[in-house]
Amino acid sequence: MVQTIFSQTSYEIPLTQKAVTFAKTHGPHTIETAWPVTQPKDLKPGEVLVRVVYTGVCHTDLHAWLGDWPLENKLPLVGGHEGSGYVAFIGPPLAGAEPSTLKVGDAVGIKWLADSCLHCEECNKGYESSCAKAQNSGFSIDGSFQQWAVSYAAHLTPLPAGFPLEAAAPILCAGVTVYKAIKEAALLSGEVVVIPGAGGGLGHLAVQYAKAMGYRVIAIDSGAEKEKLLASYGVTDFIDYMKGDVVKAVNDLTGGVGAHAAIVVASGAQAYEQALQYLRPHGALICVGMPPNGDIKANVFWTVVKSHRIIGSYVGNRQDAIEALDIAAAGKVHTTFTIEDLSALPSVFERMKALTLNGRIVLDCQ
């Protein structure tokens, strides 16, 4: 039986640990049992050593392994960016900065955005993820598919008191990402939001955040299991994209006028093409899912005449993360997840590629 790790005021930090790595794009994963642990004396200013207890698995982790984005990640790589755990050691403060308010033993979350300069225009406007100096967990730096991860004091997110670490992990990327995307749509209470990919890791959270924020949700996905899952969240309008004309179905459900917004978390390009056809005038297409080599083909005339808004939404900022976690901790959003061992990651990726996962997989790093 795995011994549960609890918050402590000090940690005995080992020299080696368990981690999952890959050394080349789409290459084999290695289940490391003696991967080096960064020692406290080696932490750079602003860095924090985190004892990772759980980590979610995101579609972005799959993209990093497949190498199908027009960006290069570091190699070899420890992926993962939905880590929840405890502060184990705090490095020296950055020059001229106040010491971190974090304490050893604090429950924290590791997010996709690991670090940014916090001084440029983008950072000052709350767009830290667009910072030219941004670092990303599990992409440009090693992430949370390990037991002891190095992250950054300025961007670690404090977890709400008493919120289970396993439930917090998926919120740290999937939850924050969809919460931010819904905010970008700038909707009014009662307006209609369509969520293609609603039964997936991002989608099942997007549905709940949208409902918690007072919007009417139309969910698009396929299969009886996903329909049942979404019904458990109170979704009554479900469209199976494999069984008919999606555009017609949305228009029928909205009395022929279309939706106010589409939050596309699906990873297929067709979902974007359909969304532009069922949005009503002044509707917003919020782009979240990133199909490889996907393009949005928008007719300029109708985009202008209908005053459609096409908005790319990356991950949320530090405040978005706090808000998303608070909503979940209040019981308004529940992550549907299955816990598996860290060593199951290669299998999780294969199931993710086959589109057979419902909800989220959370890996136990203990």
Side-chain angles (χ1 to χ4, degrees):
M1 174 179 286
V2 174
Q3 182 181 1
T4 301
I5 295 173
F6 296 101
S7 173
Q8 301 170 207
T9 56
S10 64
Y11 290 82
E12 183 177 338
I13 297 168
L15 295 175
T16 61
Q17 62 172 320
K18 182 168 66 174
V20 183
T21 71
F22 62 92
K24 66 177 183 177
T25 297
H26 210 172
H29 285 92
T30 302
I31 313 299
E32 303 279 0
T33 57
W35 190 255
V37 175
T38 299
Q39 297 299 296
K41 64 181 179 62
D42 297 320
L43 289 174
K44 299 174 184 175
E47 292 184 341
V48 174
L49 184 64
V50 177
R51 176 58 169 105
V52 183
V53 182
Y54 293 103
T55 178
V57 184
C58 177
H59 215 93
T60 296
D61 298 316
L62 177 62
H63 286 301
W65 174 54
L66 293 175
D68 57 8
W69 276 4
L71 295 171
E72 292 186 4
N73 49 267
K74 75 177 286 290
L75 290 172
L77 179 68
V78 178
H81 56 273
E82 289 185 347
S84 60
Y86 300 107
V87 172
F89 199 91
I90 301 168
L94 290 165
E98 292 292 324
S100 173
T101 58
L102 292 172
K103 304 183 301 299
V104 172
D106 283 354
V108 292
I110 295 172
K111 307 184 301 297
W112 169 249
L113 181 61
D115 195 27
S116 70
C117 78
L118 297 180
H119 300 297
C120 67
E121 179 179 344
E122 299 303 314
C123 285
N124 287 335
K125 287 182 175 179
Y127 305 139
E128 300 103 341
S129 60
S130 299
C131 174
K133 296 182 179 179
Q135 296 289 336
N136 300 120
S137 304
F139 198 83
S140 60
I141 66 169
D142 286 337
S144 55
F145 294 154
Q146 56 183 329
Q147 295 176 311
W148 301 84
V150 174
S151 196
Y152 297 83
H155 283 277
L156 284 170
T157 301
L159 301 184
F163 193 41
L165 267 64
E166 62 271 29
I171 303 297
L172 293 162
C173 181
V176 174
T177 297
V178 298
Y179 174 66
K180 175 67 170 185
I182 297 167
K183 289 175 68 174
E184 290 279 12
L187 300 175
L188 299 176
S189 180
E191 290 188 333
V192 180
V193 57
V194 178
I195 303 177
L202 274 73
H204 86 288
L205 293 172
V207 163
Q208 296 177 76
Y209 278 110
K211 288 180 66 65
M213 296 162 76
Y215 309 133
R216 177 189 168 192
V217 173
I218 297 175
I220 299 177
D221 216 307
S222 182
E225 285 190 19
K226 290 185 177 181
E227 183 175 7
K228 181 179 178 181
L229 170 67
L230 294 166
S232 72
Y233 301 132
V235 174
T236 56
D237 296 324
F238 177 82
I239 298 171
D240 191 323
Y241 67 82
M242 295 293 289
K243 294 184 177 180
D245 186 328
V246 167
V247 175
K248 181 179 184 303
V250 172
N251 286 328
D252 287 347
L253 286 169
T254 58
V257 294
H260 295 90
I263 314 294
V264 180
V265 296
S267 58
Q270 187 179 28
Y272 286 100
E273 297 174 14
Q274 293 169 338
L276 288 169
Q277 298 176 60
Y278 60 64
L279 285 177
R280 70 177 66 195
H282 300 280
L285 168 60
I286 311 299
C287 310
V288 181
M290 292 187 282
N293 303 313
D295 294 312
I296 297 174
K297 298 177 181 179
N299 180 279
V300 175
F301 179 86
W302 290 113
T303 300
V304 172
V305 168
K306 292 188 175 183
S307 299
H308 281 163
R309 294 174 291 140
I310 300 175
I311 302 169
S313 183
Y314 198 19
V315 293
N317 61 26
R318 291 174 296 165
Q319 180 60 29
D320 293 323
I322 291 170
E323 293 172 8
L325 283 162
D326 284 345
I327 292 171
K332 298 177 181 179
V333 170
H334 301 276
T335 308
T336 294
F337 61 88
T338 302
I339 297 177
E340 301 187 22
D341 188 77
L342 179 61
S343 60
L345 179 62
S347 168
V348 173
F349 278 166
E350 292 303 322
R351 284 173 277 159
M352 191 175 280
K353 282 199 299 181
L355 302 178
T356 58
L357 292 178
N358 292 328
R360 209 69 162 172
I361 298 294
V362 172
L363 302 178
D364 188 332
C365 299
Q366 301 176 64

